[in-house]
Amino acid sequence: MSTPAKGATKKEKKKPIPVKTSLNSPYSIHWSPLEREHKHFILNTLKVKLSAVGLQKQRVNRFREWGSRRRSRKQASKPTEDQKPAPEPAESVQTPSKPTEPGWTIPTARKQLAIGINEVTKGLERNELSLVLVCNSVRPAHMTCHLIPLSKTRSVPACQVPSLSESLAGLLGLKCVLALGFKRGAEVFEDVVRAITPVVPPLKVAWIPTDSTAKAEEKLADALKGQKRKLEEMSDEATDASPLILQPLKVKKIIPNPTKIRKPKKKGKQKKLII
């Protein structure tokens, strides 16, 4: 007699359906629009300053013949009598110099800038930047949305400049410049920050009042004078503060959890009829 297969008795387990959870924020965060005149002024100011400073990334192209490393190893392992080098004194032995690596023409000026989204984000988190400029060619656009609340809470002027990457990438020797930040106390770019800051439009964040940054600075200054005065100011601000209008949360679609294990319904016992 043929025995039934082992896998036939067991129920086949269904493969779990892959589910991705995505949370949509009820707040609509966007960059404040920049006027055309201010856009040309910012780009021209940056071009003139970068060309005058001469900051650029140097790239060194290295060419190596195939098999040259293997030949050099063979020659080093098995030298002939004629090729054996004469013993040199210890004083004349010099360490081999490293090949030139790609770098920046002016390292001190490069340290005063934050280039790229990652560097700008770290600089804002550490409160090291005084001005932030972002290109509008970033795709997807939400890659730079987190810079808006970071700049607002640190009271750092920030704006989105069209064609920023196209204008500055060639001057800096880079493929693209999606974000550019100027660090605090930058001596080389101090005049650029002073010229561009009054032109930058203010950012609007729904959950942060417009005067929150100014009030925070006043609180820090007055906290050193006395605790009593600080409590009085906080009570006055609580009465004068305008209530925030929050946007309602919209639920687009509710999907049941497919990985949930549901117990089968128990069938009622059927009564047997006795005849």
Side-chain angles (χ1 to χ4, degrees):
M1 295 178 67
S2 61
T3 57
K6 293 182 180 180
T9 56
K10 296 181 180 179
K11 294 181 179 179
E12 295 181 358
K13 293 183 179 180
K14 294 182 179 180
K15 293 182 179 179
I17 303 171
V19 178
K20 294 183 180 180
T21 306
S22 61
L23 300 175
N24 296 328
S25 175
Y27 303 104
S28 57
I29 305 175
H30 58 275
W31 293 95
S32 301
L34 185 68
E35 297 181 4
R36 285 187 178 181
E37 298 177 357
H38 296 164
K39 168 205 164 184
H40 294 300
F41 171 73
I42 292 172
L43 293 177
N44 292 333
T45 305
L46 292 173
K47 285 179 182 179
V48 171
K49 186 63 179 178
L50 291 175
S51 59
V53 172
L55 180 64
Q56 193 176 14
K57 188 172 184 179
Q58 295 177 340
R59 297 182 182 275
V60 179
N61 297 325
R62 300 176 183 176
F63 299 96
R64 184 172 61 86
E65 296 180 0
W66 293 103
S68 60
R69 187 179 296 178
R70 193 176 298 173
R71 292 171 192 166
S72 60
R73 286 178 182 175
K74 287 182 180 180
Q75 292 176 0
S77 60
K78 297 178 180 180
T80 58
E81 294 181 356
D82 300 335
Q83 293 178 353
K84 285 183 180 179
E88 296 180 0
E91 296 178 357
S92 62
V93 175
Q94 296 179 355
T95 57
S97 59
K98 294 183 179 180
T100 56
E101 296 182 355
W104 294 86
T105 53
I106 307 174
T108 55
R110 173 62 181 90
K111 291 179 181 179
Q112 299 178 12
L113 294 175
I115 302 174
I117 298 174
N118 293 336
E119 285 191 23
V120 171
T121 304
K122 290 179 183 178
L124 286 173
E125 289 175 350
R126 298 170 184 171
N127 200 11
E128 296 177 351
L129 303 182
S130 59
L131 178 64
V132 173
L133 302 176
V134 179
C135 186
N136 67 339
S137 63
V138 180
R139 295 292 179 273
H142 64 79
M143 288 179 63
T144 57
C145 286
H146 67 282
L147 300 176
I148 299 174
L150 279 174
S151 303
K152 183 70 175 178
T153 52
R154 271 80 174 169
S155 66
V156 177
C159 70
Q160 193 177 50
V161 183
S163 64
L164 178 70
S165 180
E166 298 174 2
S167 303
L168 303 183
L171 291 173
L172 294 174
L174 301 173
K175 294 181 179 179
C176 63
V177 181
L178 300 181
L180 182 65
F182 299 88
K183 295 189 177 182
R184 298 183 186 274
E187 298 178 356
V188 179
F189 303 99
E190 187 177 0
D191 53 346
V192 176
V193 175
R194 287 180 181 177
I196 296 176
T197 300
V199 178
V200 175
L203 297 173
K204 295 179 182 179
V205 182
W207 63 88
I208 301 176
T210 54
D211 299 335
S212 63
T213 54
K215 289 181 181 179
E217 293 178 358
E218 290 178 2
K219 286 179 186 177
L220 291 173
D222 296 338
L224 301 173
K225 295 181 181 179
Q227 204 172 23
K228 185 176 180 181
R229 184 179 175 184
K230 182 182 177 181
L231 293 171
E232 291 176 359
E233 288 182 359
M234 288 175 65
S235 61
D236 294 337
E237 288 174 4
T239 54
D240 298 336
S242 59
L244 294 175
I245 300 171
L246 301 180
Q247 300 179 8
L249 181 64
K250 296 179 181 179
V251 180
K252 293 184 178 180
K253 190 177 181 182
I254 299 174
I255 303 173
N257 187 5
T259 59
K260 184 178 179 181
I261 301 171
R262 295 177 176 82
K263 295 181 179 179
K265 294 181 180 179
K266 294 181 179 180
K267 296 181 180 180
K269 294 181 180 179
Q270 298 178 355
K271 295 180 180 179
K272 294 181 179 179
L273 298 175
I274 302 172
I275 301 173

